[in-house]
Amino acid sequence: MIAFIIRRALLAIPTLIFISFISFVIIQLPPGDYITAYAAELRHQGEYITEAQEAAMRAQYGLNDPMVIQYWRWISNIIFHGDFGYSLQWNAPVSSLIWDRLAITLAISTLSLVFTWIIAIPVGVYSATRQYSVLDYVFTVFGFLGKGVPDFLLALILMWVSFVYLNLNVGGLFSPQFQSAPWSVAKVIDLLQHIWIPLVVLATGGAAGLIRVMRANMLDELGKPYVETAYAQGLSEGRVVWGYPVRVALNPFISTVGWALPALFSGDIITAVVLNLPTTGPLLLQALKMQDMYLAGSFILVLSVFTVIGTLISDVLLAWFDPRIRYA
């Protein structure tokens, strides 16, 4: 296991270097740069800046330097000083913009992930052990609907139902009077009134797909000889099902840890925009639209780090559950 972990960790280093460089290059591929997008935004608002002002701003931010020099300046500051650069659009350090929204993003995404697993695992096991029952068909329909309905559409429907029938204003995470208010019992209650829609939306889509995966894996395992042997030894159904095939069927859940970590950081961007959530996703989208290279590049770099770490954790957990993977 130690050799396996070391081998995977060493492979992660060149992977991160390659991803960071490619991401920085891709961000700058569209025509123009941040100053171009900024000038266009000003023109849209009826304001103008001269070409001399544009040139001065490019020189100030180092946008005239070759791309390789810009990349080295950015990545070296991150490695040696922990400085992610300065957001041109927000006129603030990138690190403060990211970490200010990270706590809310992690809270929402972690809760939705937990709810997803709480729903998907027992429902998938029940559907497999009660194949073709009424509830199995119900869960199958739920799975198809959950995968077929986009998250943002479900968010819009729930917002409409909450506003029309429950008399709740659920846009954002807080009501206007609690936006800047200190924490109190009333603010927590207001948060709970708003946060349930993001949790339901994010958990529904994830649970719908994982239910089908869990059911299919369980059906494959229930027909194998070791399960029949366990029943023949007189073990109860609960002990047989949860003690043997469920452990094997959980492999897809373990392998998705590599996707879960970056998802915890970014969240569902479209859903966050629709629900007006103060998470990291909408900030990343705005940075890409405005070609704010340091902010967008830092986001993508952190997502890459989370992805590599998550993949490493998935590999280690899978190797622990299944020793054959250690030799892959």
Side-chain angles (χ1 to χ4, degrees):
M1 280 293 292
I2 295 177
F4 176 82
I5 294 174
I6 293 175
R7 188 166 65 248
R8 286 290 193 268
L10 291 177
L11 288 173
I13 297 174
T15 302
L16 288 175
I17 295 175
F18 178 76
I19 290 175
S20 66
F21 180 74
I22 294 299
S23 301
F24 194 84
V25 171
I26 291 176
I27 291 170
Q28 300 199 47
L29 282 182
D33 51 25
Y34 169 75
I35 304 303
T36 305
Y38 175 70
E41 184 72 16
L42 288 179
R43 284 195 297 271
H44 181 71
Q45 298 173 2
E47 302 178 16
Y48 298 91
I49 58 175
T50 64
E51 294 184 1
Q53 289 175 316
E54 290 187 28
M57 293 178 67
R58 286 191 176 91
Q60 176 185 354
Y61 294 121
L63 300 180
N64 293 326
D65 296 333
M67 189 181 302
V68 175
I69 295 178
Q70 294 184 48
Y71 168 76
W72 172 248
R73 183 168 56 233
W74 171 66
I75 200 67
S76 61
N77 284 333
I78 293 176
I79 295 174
F80 298 114
H81 306 290
D83 181 9
F84 287 85
Y86 205 76
S87 171
L88 307 180
Q89 179 186 4
W90 294 87
N91 197 29
V94 169
S95 56
S96 64
L97 294 172
I98 294 178
W99 306 132
D100 286 348
R101 296 178 177 234
L102 184 59
I104 295 177
T105 304
L106 289 176
I108 294 175
S109 300
T110 302
L111 288 174
S112 65
L113 179 65
V114 171
F115 287 157
T116 297
W117 285 11
I118 289 176
I119 295 171
I121 294 175
V123 170
V125 172
Y126 180 89
S127 293
T129 54
R130 301 293 186 273
Q131 189 180 15
Y132 304 132
S133 64
V134 175
L135 284 180
D136 182 30
Y137 286 117
V138 171
F139 294 140
T140 299
V141 172
F142 167 77
F144 287 136
L145 289 177
K147 294 299 292 182
V149 178
D151 288 348
F152 72 89
L153 179 59
L154 180 60
L156 289 173
I157 294 173
L158 290 178
M159 289 178 66
W160 177 76
V161 171
S162 300
F163 182 78
V164 174
Y165 295 101
L166 302 179
N167 197 27
L168 294 175
N169 182 12
V170 291
L173 288 180
F174 299 100
S175 299
Q177 64 270 26
F178 290 106
Q179 289 285 351
S180 303
W183 284 100
S184 61
V185 176
K187 186 170 183 177
V188 172
I189 294 175
D190 185 70
L191 173 63
L192 294 177
Q193 290 177 344
H194 288 76
I195 202 173
W196 67 273
I197 286 185
L199 294 182
V200 170
V201 171
L202 295 176
T204 299
L210 288 178
I211 286 173
R212 306 305 302 164
V213 173
M214 190 69 184
R215 180 181 183 275
N217 289 348
M218 282 294 296
L219 289 175
D220 289 340
E221 296 299 321
L222 289 174
K224 293 184 177 179
Y226 74 88
V227 177
E228 297 178 2
T229 302
Y231 277 120
Q233 291 177 344
L235 299 179
S236 64
E237 180 183 9
R239 187 174 178 185
V240 171
V241 171
W242 291 97
Y244 298 98
V246 168
R247 292 177 60 185
V248 179
L250 282 177
N251 275 1
F253 288 79
I254 298 173
S255 63
T256 56
V257 172
W259 310 336
L261 282 183
L264 291 180
F265 179 80
S266 64
D268 191 299
I269 296 178
I270 299 179
T271 303
V273 172
V274 170
L275 294 176
N276 193 28
L277 301 179
T279 56
T280 55
L283 191 63
L284 171 59
L285 178 62
Q286 187 64 24
L288 291 172
K289 289 170 58 180
M290 293 297 296
Q291 293 182 258
D292 193 345
M293 56 188 183
Y294 294 125
L295 180 57
S298 298
F299 263 115
I300 296 175
L301 178 62
V302 174
L303 284 174
S304 303
V305 171
F306 272 67
T307 303
V308 171
I309 293 175
T311 303
L312 178 61
I313 293 174
S314 297
D315 290 341
V316 172
L317 291 177
L318 286 173
W320 182 43
F321 274 87
D322 190 349
R324 296 171 298 176
I325 298 176
R326 303 175 194 176
Y327 304 101

